[in-house]
Amino acid sequence: MLKRAIQLTSLICVIMLSLLIFQYTSLVQQRLPLGTTNQFDLNLAETTIAKDQLVSDLNQLTDQYKAIVVKTSVDPENYDNKKDIIYFGTAKPAFHGLLIEHNEIKWFESSLTGELLSTADIGTRSLSGIYAFNAEKDFREALEHWAQQHQIRILFVQEPSILTIVYAYLFQNGTGNAVLASFLLLVTTIITWIFQHAKARSIRLLGGVKAGKIHVEDTTTIVSFIIVGFLLGLFISLGYVGVVKDIRQIPLVLNLLLLCLVLFLFVVSIITALLSLIASPKAAHIAKRQIPLKRFSVMGKLSHVLVMILSLIVIPTIITSILITNQLSKEYALWDKMHNIVRLSMFDLDSLEQEATLPEVEAFFSKMQEANNLSLSFVIDKAIFLEPYRMGGYDHIIMTDRAWIDLLEIGVETEGKGGKLIAKDVKDLPDDLASFLEGQIPLWTKHNDVYPAQGLNFYEYKGTKFLALPPNVGLAGETVQAENPLVILIDGQLTDIVKSKGFLISLASSGNIVFFDEVHLQAALANSVMKPSITSINGIADVALETAQRFKQQYIYYIVAGLLIFITMFLTAVLNGRLWAGTNGKRIFTLHTFGLPYTSIIGPVFKRQLFIIIITTIVGSIIGYLVHHVQLSVLLLSALLVGILYGIGSYLSFKKSAKQAFYRTSHRYN
């Protein structure tokens, strides 16, 4: 039975470790594809150079210094399953570490597809973001000089050390947590095997077999069980790659996989030998007709403590992952609707605000709004700093229009799928907030002597999340998911209510005015006075959709880790119960013979066990918080869950073991 358990747990370890290697390979493919070795991050929010010119400059630099420069990009049309690589320069990079056929990328992540694209196919995708490159030092210096010239913020990403990578993958990763959980389960199973064979080990010593030979034979026996699981796991893992992914992907992971599995086998062999030595049978034990239960008890308690600490690293993350996944499913359902929405990046706003050009600019905005191709979404408190007391209890102050709330399916005084807006009398606003708005809104509206301005209505939002845009969303800014915002709704033609000069034009440049149909927008800009001021047209949802794509792949592994943790908790509880009963068999028999119930017999040891559980839970919670920085409420819930489950498991284990000890003693099986 234990032989099969060791084989099964070693198989689970190998599969989990293989999945971790596959995940690492997939991440490296996406972070550093096509032979690249380093990364840099570009932020183009402040540049005034046109997008086409920036692309041309990057192509020229790449060719001049014979560098490899690429950018992975989520396809906005299929963000769940498609990630492309855009290469810069005229020469197509060699297909190092990737399978590419006719520019179709076969990612190691089988759910992903993609294309190898030149910069001619970049379209509306943002130039801001992470790039991968491989070049000499002079390219880096030239790139920094170019970025400085064009007001582009550039940051070269520091590559992490091997130790940092190992720590991150084992402790801050769902699959890594599953590897640790399965490894701890394997070690606990090995301890159980040695405990079960303790009497046989003592008999062999009594029969003249040297202690050293016993250790070698038992270690070899256990390792032989593990090798069966090792080979089966390796076969399953490589078979999975060949069948599910592509048989040509096997060489991409084989070397690293074999290296890690051999290292795993070596570490397990050393641990097995040490456990055998710790529980070594001695002549003194044989003389007293005992097995070294106290040493086993120490190993059992240590295993118990490690399992609890690991559970308080993993379980809070599982709960957080479930909560975040649920939240992402709601939030990114909204982003899915917005994958075609674009924003403008502009410069030279002064020329658009001249008296001669302003009417044409207003005509452009009016034309776009009449064609249902324009919307405004502006988080005021992200553009203007407001002290908390000025917020009036709201988490955000948002100005928007009908097109935006229709997109979010939010009803006005009626319940929509996205929530409901409830009218708020401006007279009921807190004084500090009202004072701010009274001074600010007239600067933005055409009726600057009236507050509140005609066409502006105030609402409170009731719903789950109100998605809104801060300045520079899609380039440098992150989205806002408001829970309790004050919504200022522009109800009517924008150019009739708010100023174009100093407001609409600025919002168009900062990405707070968005457009639903890029083709229609391009056609309108072709003959517009605004065209010379446009540097680029970018999708607003790229960053958010890529985040969704990355995150959805992780949480399932946390759940697997949690299941393995619970199995290990159960096994250690059983092991500790049996160790205690084995040490106190005669005492249990005597006390129960004289009428003491099992509950009373296990009372003292169970109290000590509860004390250990409480102390370990506190220590484990601190370690878990330092590793993952989860919310305190989630950590407390996890600690309570682990403590209660382990307490119940220990109680049942000690009681069951006491019954078995009484039965064995009464039948003289000991």
Side-chain angles (χ1 to χ4, degrees):
M1 180 65 181
L2 281 174
K3 172 184 174 181
R4 299 290 180 225
I6 292 174
Q7 291 172 343
L8 179 60
T9 50
S10 62
L11 171 63
I12 292 171
C13 278
V14 170
I15 290 175
M16 290 296 107
L17 188 57
S18 298
L19 287 175
L20 190 65
I21 300 301
F22 297 162
Q23 193 177 92
Y24 174 77
T25 302
S26 179
L27 182 65
V28 169
Q29 275 192 344
Q30 295 173 44
R31 284 186 69 251
L32 299 170
L34 304 177
T36 54
T37 55
N38 298 93
Q39 291 183 310
F40 62 85
D41 185 1
L42 289 186
N43 184 332
L44 282 73
E46 298 173 4
T47 187
T48 59
I49 305 301
K51 183 177 181 178
D52 291 344
Q53 182 61 48
L54 295 175
V55 171
S56 177
D57 289 349
L58 282 171
N59 284 334
Q60 186 178 350
L61 284 170
T62 302
D63 289 338
Q64 181 181 348
Y65 292 95
K66 297 180 181 179
I68 301 172
V69 179
V70 298
K71 186 178 191 296
T72 56
S73 175
V74 170
D75 186 344
E77 298 290 337
N78 185 8
Y79 77 90
D80 260 341
N81 302 306
K82 193 171 185 211
K83 182 173 282 190
D84 302 324
I85 298 176
I86 301 166
Y87 68 89
F88 291 79
T90 54
K92 186 182 294 186
F95 301 160
H96 179 81
L98 272 176
L99 291 179
I100 303 178
E101 295 178 337
H102 308 295
N103 291 335
E104 291 290 326
I105 301 171
K106 290 184 176 293
W107 293 104
F108 191 80
E109 179 64 49
S110 55
S111 62
L112 282 181
T113 60
E115 293 180 80
L116 181 63
L117 305 173
S118 71
T119 52
D121 301 312
I122 200 167
T124 63
R125 303 187 201 208
S126 174
L127 282 181
S128 290
I130 301 290
Y131 292 70
F133 74 100
N134 187 355
E136 300 296 332
K137 186 178 179 180
D138 52 355
F139 170 78
R140 178 184 292 215
E141 293 172 352
L143 188 65
E144 284 184 299
H145 178 68
W146 168 79
Q148 188 177 10
Q149 274 186 321
H150 299 311
Q151 294 179 297
I152 298 170
R153 281 181 280 172
I154 184 169
L155 175 67
F156 287 93
V157 179
Q158 184 71 33
E159 290 302 309
S161 66
I162 295 295
L163 288 177
T164 303
I165 292 172
V166 170
Y167 173 80
Y169 268 84
L170 287 179
F171 290 97
Q172 297 179 326
N173 177 286
T175 317
N177 287 171
V179 170
L180 290 175
S182 58
F183 182 77
L184 198 52
L185 177 60
L186 176 60
V187 171
T188 305
T189 309
I190 292 170
I191 293 173
T192 306
W193 187 94
I194 296 174
F195 168 64
Q196 288 288 84
H197 291 77
K199 185 177 288 187
R201 286 157 61 91
S202 296
I203 292 172
R204 284 155 65 194
L205 183 67
L206 184 63
V209 180
K210 292 183 178 180
K213 188 176 181 181
I214 293 173
H215 297 316
V216 171
E217 288 177 349
D218 287 354
T219 300
T220 304
T221 300
I222 293 172
V223 170
S224 69
F225 301 157
I226 294 170
I227 288 175
V228 173
F230 174 96
L231 294 175
L232 185 57
L234 179 62
F235 177 77
I236 291 172
S237 300
L238 295 179
Y240 168 78
V241 174
V243 174
V244 177
K245 298 179 184 293
D246 190 308
I247 196 169
R248 292 170 297 174
Q249 301 271 24
I250 291 178
L252 299 180
V253 296
L254 184 59
N255 290 340
L256 182 59
L257 182 59
L258 286 175
L259 175 64
C260 290
L261 291 181
V262 169
L263 182 62
F264 159 77
L265 190 60
F266 175 76
V267 170
V268 173
S269 300
I270 295 297
I271 290 174
T272 303
L274 289 174
L275 292 174
S276 179
L277 285 169
I278 291 170
S280 178
K282 295 183 182 298
H285 296 137
I286 296 173
K288 295 178 182 179
R289 297 184 179 182
Q290 293 177 346
I291 56 176
L293 288 173
K294 288 185 178 180
R295 296 184 182 184
F296 281 109
S297 181
V298 171
M299 289 191 291
K301 285 183 172 62
L302 179 61
S303 179
H304 163 201
V305 168
L306 291 176
V307 170
M308 287 196 67
I309 290 174
L310 184 58
S311 67
L312 287 164
I313 293 174
V314 175
I315 293 173
T317 315
I318 295 171
I319 296 173
T320 303
S321 299
I322 293 170
L323 293 175
I324 292 176
T325 302
N326 183 55
Q327 180 179 328
L328 285 177
S329 67
K330 295 176 182 178
E331 293 176 7
Y332 290 106
L334 299 175
W335 280 116
D336 192 28
K337 299 175 185 176
M338 300 181 190
H339 67 266
N340 285 322
I341 295 178
V342 295
R343 54 155 294 180
L344 300 175
S345 293
M346 303 164 62
F347 77 106
D348 191 21
L349 303 187
D350 291 340
S351 64
L352 297 178
E353 295 181 341
Q354 300 297 319
E355 293 298 326
T357 56
L358 202 55
E360 291 186 54
V361 172
E362 290 188 342
F364 168 80
F365 286 131
S366 296
K367 182 180 177 181
M368 289 292 98
Q369 189 173 10
E370 289 167 2
N372 294 319
N373 193 35
L374 176 147
S375 184
L376 182 150
S377 178
F378 177 42
V379 183
I380 295 172
D381 55 281
K382 288 292 185 179
I384 302 172
F385 174 73
L386 289 175
E387 295 88 347
Y389 73 89
R390 284 186 174 271
M391 294 291 290
Y394 298 104
D395 60 348
H396 293 287
I397 313 298
I398 298 170
M399 181 177 283
T400 189
D401 62 3
R402 285 272 180 176
W404 187 259
I405 62 171
D406 288 345
L407 179 70
L408 302 182
E409 298 182 272
I410 296 173
V412 179
E413 300 291 356
T414 59
E415 192 69 42
K417 288 184 180 179
K420 179 181 180 180
L421 293 182
I422 301 172
K424 177 75 173 179
D425 193 327
V426 69
K427 296 177 183 178
D428 295 332
L429 291 176
D431 291 341
D432 289 317
L433 178 58
S435 175
F436 165 76
L437 294 174
E438 188 173 354
Q440 199 68 39
I441 286 179
L443 301 178
W444 299 335
T445 58
K446 289 196 168 181
H447 306 282
N448 55 10
D449 57 341
V450 179
Y451 172 77
Q454 182 180 355
L456 293 187
N457 297 308
F458 292 76
Y459 295 91
E460 291 182 339
Y461 171 71
K462 300 299 178 186
T464 306
K465 298 283 184 181
F466 191 110
L467 188 148
L469 307 180
N472 292 321
V473 69
L475 293 182
E478 297 181 357
T479 60
V480 166
Q481 309 284 342
E483 297 180 356
N484 178 36
L486 175 67
V487 179
I488 305 171
L489 185 64
I490 303 175
D491 202 355
Q493 195 73 16
L494 292 178
T495 52
D496 292 340
I497 299 171
V498 296
K499 296 174 181 177
S500 297
K501 182 178 181 179
F503 190 69
L504 276 184
I505 295 174
S506 297
L507 292 188
S509 178
S510 64
N512 296 106
I513 289 180
V514 296
F515 304 87
F516 302 125
D517 188 335
E518 186 205 347
V519 175
H520 187 191
L521 173 64
Q522 294 275 21
L525 286 173
N527 300 312
S528 168
V529 69
M530 295 184 65
K531 185 173 176 60
S533 298
I534 307 299
T535 59
S536 65
I537 299 174
N538 302 292
I540 69 167
D542 294 0
V543 175
L545 296 178
E546 187 166 5
T547 301
Q549 187 187 84
R550 287 198 310 267
F551 191 86
K552 65 180 293 188
Q553 301 168 3
Q554 270 297 311
Y555 80 98
I556 187 65
Y557 296 116
Y558 284 114
I559 294 175
V560 172
L563 291 174
L564 291 173
I565 281 290
F566 284 124
I567 293 171
T568 311
M569 285 172 63
F570 168 77
L571 187 58
T572 54
V574 170
L575 179 61
N576 280 303
R578 294 186 65 181
L579 287 169
W580 170 79
T583 309
N584 296 274
K586 292 180 180 179
R587 181 172 178 272
I588 293 168
F589 176 78
T590 303
L591 291 174
H592 192 62
T593 300
F594 281 90
L596 203 63
Y598 292 118
T599 304
S600 299
I601 295 172
I602 68 171
V605 68
F606 183 64
K607 288 178 182 178
R608 291 195 297 271
Q609 189 77 357
L610 282 179
F611 178 76
I612 294 172
I613 290 172
I614 291 169
I615 296 299
T616 307
T617 300
I618 294 170
V619 173
S621 298
I622 294 171
I623 294 173
Y625 180 77
L626 293 175
V627 171
H628 284 300
H629 297 288
V630 296
Q631 293 180 3
L632 289 178
S633 58
V634 172
L635 192 61
L636 290 173
L637 176 62
S638 303
L640 189 64
L641 179 65
V642 170
I644 290 174
L645 287 178
Y646 220 115
I648 293 173
S650 296
Y651 175 80
L652 295 176
S653 173
F654 280 107
K655 191 172 181 180
K656 177 72 173 176
S657 298
K659 288 181 179 179
Q660 290 178 339
F662 178 81
Y663 177 82
R664 292 178 64 85
T665 304
S666 62
H667 287 79
R668 299 184 179 180
Y669 288 158
N670 291 321

